Amino acid sequence: MKLLTQIRQQEEDSAIDLTPMLDVVFIMLIFFIVTASFLKEAGLTANKPDVQQAPPTEEAPSIVLRIASEGQVYLGPRRIDIRSVRPNIERLRAETPGAPVVVRAEDGARNHLIVDVMDAARQAGVMDVSLARAD
Amino acid sequence: MDPFSAGQQDEEDSAIDLTPMLDVVFIMLIFFIVTASFIKEAGIDISRPQAETTEKQDRASIFIALSPSGEIWIDRRKVAPAQLKPTIEKLKAENPQGSVVIQADRESRSQQLMETLDAVRDAGITEVAISAEPF
């Protein structure tokens, strides 16, 4: 009988007690589950033209769209409808391939208009649309 | 079979084998550690403009919300326009790889968007997106 208890004692000693480690692992697991935030955010990439960037030259004129405070969209001097932004950009890009698109928004312009115009430009195939302030 | 070994056999059976559970728990722990990105949410809900050409912003870690009334929210706090750049710099130091998403409300003004874009750029972050909802 004495021998049996001795053997058992030895066996228990050799097995490491995993309980504290399990506690720690579970607490870490709960912490990471709680802090995990699977945020799905979609958006349009916006470039801001550099101040040092070279101004558009004769060979590579940029397509400048201006959004007035009241919500009108101007392409150069001409006022255009928001729905005709895309065909206009497509036409100008066909004339001068590689021309960058710059959206100049006046201070009071609403954000959804800016996004609409940027979206139209992206639909026309210009993925790097610059955003600038209208002077 | 002698009675001693039979008793030992019983004892071994009664203890549940924790190894498979430990494996699962460790794999879950590693998954949550890897996916944890410690995103700084803006703190207010805004109505996003809709756009066709949205891209998923997977690397976004800093969110700046612009409310229609002209408030700027970062990391669940309202931020004064003058404090914008230092706040972004502080958050960038915590997560240098992250990009910025500006969650501008549909009705927010362009002036604020431009000021925020300037501040983000001054803080040294070039990857900026304007939040939009896909149709």
Side-chain angles (χ1 to χ4, degrees), chain B residues 16-30:
Chain B
I16 304 161
D17 187 11
L18 289 175
T19 319
M21 191 198 70
L22 262 180
D23 289 353
V24 171
V25 166
F26 266 111
I27 284 177
M28 277 169 75
L29 184 66
I30 290 164

Side-chain angles (χ1 to χ4, degrees), chain A residues 1-7:
Chain A
M1 202 58 209
K2 201 180 168 204
L3 188 70
L4 180 68
T5 40
Q6 222 171 0
I7 289 169

Side-chain angles (χ1 to χ4, degrees), chain A residues 22 25 29 32-33 41-46 48 50 105-112 119 122-123 132-133, chain B residues 22 25 29 33 48 51-53 55 57 103-111 114 118 121 128-132:
Chain A
L22 262 182
V25 166
L29 183 64
F32 280 108
I33 289 175
E41 187 67 45
L44 310 176
T45 316
K48 195 114 200 318
D50 223 321
E106 284 182 7
D107 280 352
R110 302 286 184 180
N111 178 49
H112 64 93
D119 193 31
R122 290 163 66 97
Q123 280 179 33
R133 205 186 285 245
Chain B
L22 262 180
V25 166
L29 184 66
I33 290 175
R48 292 169 176 75
E52 297 264 8
T53 56
E55 287 163 1
Q57 304 294 323
Q103 301 175 320
D105 192 274
R106 279 180 61 82
E107 299 301 323
S108 63
R109 304 275 183 179
S110 150
Q111 185 187 7
M114 295 303 167
D118 281 339
R121 225 187 136 77
V128 194
I130 297 171
S131 171

Side-chain angles (χ1 to χ4, degrees), chain B residues 68-134:
Chain B
S69 56
E71 292 165 356
I72 303 167
W73 287 73
I74 304 176
D75 199 10
R76 294 168 219 275
R77 275 195 309 268
K78 198 174 143 186
V79 177
Q83 285 298 307
L84 205 52
K85 193 185 152 197
T87 310
I88 297 167
E89 276 172 346
K90 204 180 79 207
L91 292 177
K92 192 206 170 201
E94 286 174 25
N95 190 351
Q97 300 297 316
S99 69
V100 171
V101 170
I102 300 176
Q103 301 175 320
D105 192 274
R106 279 180 61 82
E107 299 301 323
S108 63
R109 304 275 183 179
S110 150
Q111 185 187 7
Q112 263 198 311
L113 183 67
M114 295 303 167
E115 278 169 8
T116 313
L117 273 172
D118 281 339
V120 171
R121 225 187 136 77
D122 286 347
I125 301 173
T126 47
E127 268 183 70
V128 194
I130 297 171
S131 171
E133 220 174 279

Side-chain angles (χ1 to χ4, degrees), chain A residues 64-85 103-110 112-114 116-117 134, chain B residues 109-110:
Chain A
V64 181
L65 290 144
R66 193 165 60 85
I67 306 170
S69 294
E70 292 75 34
Q72 303 94 331
V73 181
Y74 292 91
L75 180 66
R78 195 159 52 87
R79 186 184 162 184
I80 58 170
D81 191 85
I82 183 78
R83 281 160 298 184
S84 65
V85 169
V103 177
R104 305 187 80 92
E106 284 182 7
D107 280 352
R110 302 286 184 180
H112 64 93
L113 261 176
I114 300 170
D116 282 348
V117 172
Chain B
R109 304 275 183 179
S110 150

